[in-house]
């Protein structure tokens, strides 16, 4: 059989959940609970729409101008966001992962970032998806198998579905007290500010999103038992929650505005827990430094409400 365009498929099921994982980008292609979509899906034999559901490594979001300095050496990454002139969402989003473990309710995939221009480091990336009664948990583990220390960051890119309708119709709960402001044209970070100064992005008290545009990273997250949680719900109170541990002090929220593609326009809310903010390769904020032989693990979970 021909391999689907999204890569070798892996099907998980259990506890009322069904998940489809695609090998290209270790991508969450579909997640349902009791036949209700929790993320915006796409077809197995479809080229993945942009970064929908992909695992982002070795950085989430952007490296401004694709240029950064690490260990007193300047590096230039390929510009994979040409319209803004940045390096976007890491190096593995279009790479096929190999399977290490395949079970009914669990799959472990692995890929290696080989030393290359702009990122001359070797990192093994292991991605586990596991279903249980609490939902779908994804765990990403980076292992530095090279000879030099390496900068590292990761995060997922699912578009959550709160219920019937589109983003405008859903209620968002986002327990973040600070937002990273960006320039309007190139989304370059400009400063960290309290959401009190930007009430349009203050969702600490749940409220309907309506026509608010969001494409920002948030931090200063309120946590319960060490976990932060974003909730997106429809008019009937059902919906989806995404939670994560302290390995991710940041979350990117995006309302998926794309009027040129009516089917995708505001069809899901991107919720992306991140180990570091946009352009961390330059700012150094919460950037993980992996020494040779070190590993770093981050985890998050999507659950039905």
């Amino acid at each position: 059989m021909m391999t689907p365009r999204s890569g070798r498929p892996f099907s998980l099921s259990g506890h009322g959940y069904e998940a489809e994982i695609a090998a290209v980008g270790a991508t969450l292609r579909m997640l349902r609970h009791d036949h209700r979509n929790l993320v915006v899906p796409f077809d197995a034999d479809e080229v993945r729409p942009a970064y929908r559901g992909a695992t982002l490594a070795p950085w989430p979001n952007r490296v401004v101008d694709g240029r950064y300095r690490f260990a007193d050496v300047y590096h230039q990454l390929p510009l994979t966001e040409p319209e803004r002139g940045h390096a976007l969402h890491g190096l593995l989003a279009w790479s096929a992962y190999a399977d290490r473990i395949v079970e009914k309710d669990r799959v472990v995939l692995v890929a290696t970032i080989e030393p290359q221009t702009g990122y001359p480091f070797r990192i093994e990336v292991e991605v586990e998806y596991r279903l249980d009664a609490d939902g779908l948990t994804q765990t990403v583990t980076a292992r530095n198998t090279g000879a030099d220390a390496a900068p590292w960051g990761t995060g997922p890119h699912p578009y959550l579905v709160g219920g019937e309708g589109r983003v405008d119709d859903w209620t968002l709960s986002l327990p973040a007290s600070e937002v990273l402001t960006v320039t309007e044209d190139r989304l370059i970070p400009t400063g960290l500010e309290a959401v009190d100064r930007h009430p349009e992005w203050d969702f600490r008290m749940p409220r309907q999103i309506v026509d608010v545009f969001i494409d920002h990273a948030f931090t200063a997250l309120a946590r319960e038992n060490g976990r932060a949680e974003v909730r997106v719900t429809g008019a009937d109170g059902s919906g989806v929650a995404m939670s994560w541990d302290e390995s991710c002090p940041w979350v990117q929220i995006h309302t998926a505005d794309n009027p040129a593609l009516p089917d995708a326009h505001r069809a899901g809310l991107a919720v992306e827990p991140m180990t570091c903010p946009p352009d961390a390769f330059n700012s150094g904020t919460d950037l993980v430094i992996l020494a040779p032989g070190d590993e770093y693990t981050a985890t998050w979970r999507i659950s039905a409400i």
Side-chain angles (χ1 to χ4, degrees):
M1 294 179 62
M2 292 289 291
T3 301
R5 288 180 175 86
S6 64
R8 185 181 172 195
F10 301 91
S11 299
L12 309 180
S13 62
H15 308 280
Y17 289 91
E18 303 170 81
E20 295 286 344
I21 312 302
V24 172
T27 295
L28 175 60
R29 190 179 64 76
M30 182 273 286
L31 177 62
R32 296 190 184 117
H33 182 261
D34 289 342
H35 308 292
R36 173 169 62 92
N37 281 329
L38 302 183
V39 302
V40 179
F42 65 95
D43 293 337
D45 200 28
E46 180 181 359
V47 175
R48 188 189 64 221
Y51 294 90
R52 188 187 301 175
T55 300
L56 313 178
W59 70 87
N61 209 274
R62 295 164 177 85
V63 176
V64 170
D65 298 323
R67 185 171 172 82
Y68 67 100
R69 181 182 180 184
F70 183 75
D72 292 326
V73 177
Y74 283 97
H75 301 280
Q76 178 65 60
L77 294 157
L79 301 182
T80 51
E81 192 183 26
E83 66 274 19
R84 293 192 177 107
H86 305 315
L88 186 66
H89 289 332
L91 298 170
L92 286 180
W94 299 103
S95 296
Y97 284 65
D99 62 278
R100 181 165 280 172
I101 299 172
V102 180
E103 298 171 344
K104 178 183 177 181
D105 57 359
R106 176 176 176 246
V107 63
V108 179
L109 306 176
V110 64
T112 296
I113 302 170
E114 296 292 352
Q116 57 197 273
T117 300
Y119 194 81
F121 315 104
R122 180 174 285 115
I123 308 293
E124 181 189 80
V125 181
E126 182 181 272
V127 178
E128 178 192 60
Y129 287 98
R130 176 173 48 84
L131 281 175
D132 59 24
D134 294 324
L136 179 70
T137 298
Q138 182 181 3
T139 301
V140 177
T141 301
R143 299 184 180 94
N144 187 343
T145 58
D148 302 303
W152 168 260
T154 190
H157 206 301
Y159 287 83
L160 303 187
V161 175
E164 296 294 328
R166 294 184 177 252
V167 166
D168 307 57
D169 307 305
W170 304 334
T171 293
L172 171 62
S173 171
L174 170 61
S177 297
E178 295 179 343
V179 60
L180 187 66
T181 57
V182 294
T183 61
E184 184 175 352
D185 54 349
R186 298 183 64 207
L187 303 184
I188 297 173
T190 56
L192 195 60
E193 299 184 11
V195 294
D196 291 335
R197 298 183 58 184
H198 300 276
E200 69 274 25
W201 300 323
D202 186 356
F203 288 88
R204 290 174 293 180
M205 292 295 293
R207 60 184 175 90
Q208 195 171 342
I209 299 170
V210 292
D211 59 353
V212 173
F213 168 79
I214 314 171
D215 193 3
H216 296 79
F218 295 82
T219 191
L221 300 166
R223 297 176 181 269
E224 186 172 342
N225 298 321
R227 297 188 69 84
E229 182 178 74
V230 167
R231 297 168 70 90
V232 187
T233 55
D236 63 357
S238 65
V240 59
M242 191 165 188
S243 63
W244 57 92
D245 64 16
E246 293 175 341
S247 62
C248 293
W250 296 83
V251 61
Q252 182 83 14
I253 305 291
H254 181 31
T255 44
D257 297 68
N258 195 341
L261 297 173
D263 289 343
H265 178 58
R266 295 177 75 89
L269 184 73
V271 178
E272 309 163 44
M274 302 184 298
T275 59
C276 58
D279 202 32
F281 274 29
N282 282 301
S283 70
T285 302
D286 293 321
L287 184 65
V288 175
I289 307 300
L290 286 172
D294 279 359
E295 66 177 47
Y296 188 87
T297 296
T299 184
W300 40 84
R301 182 171 63 228
I302 303 176
S303 308
I305 299 174

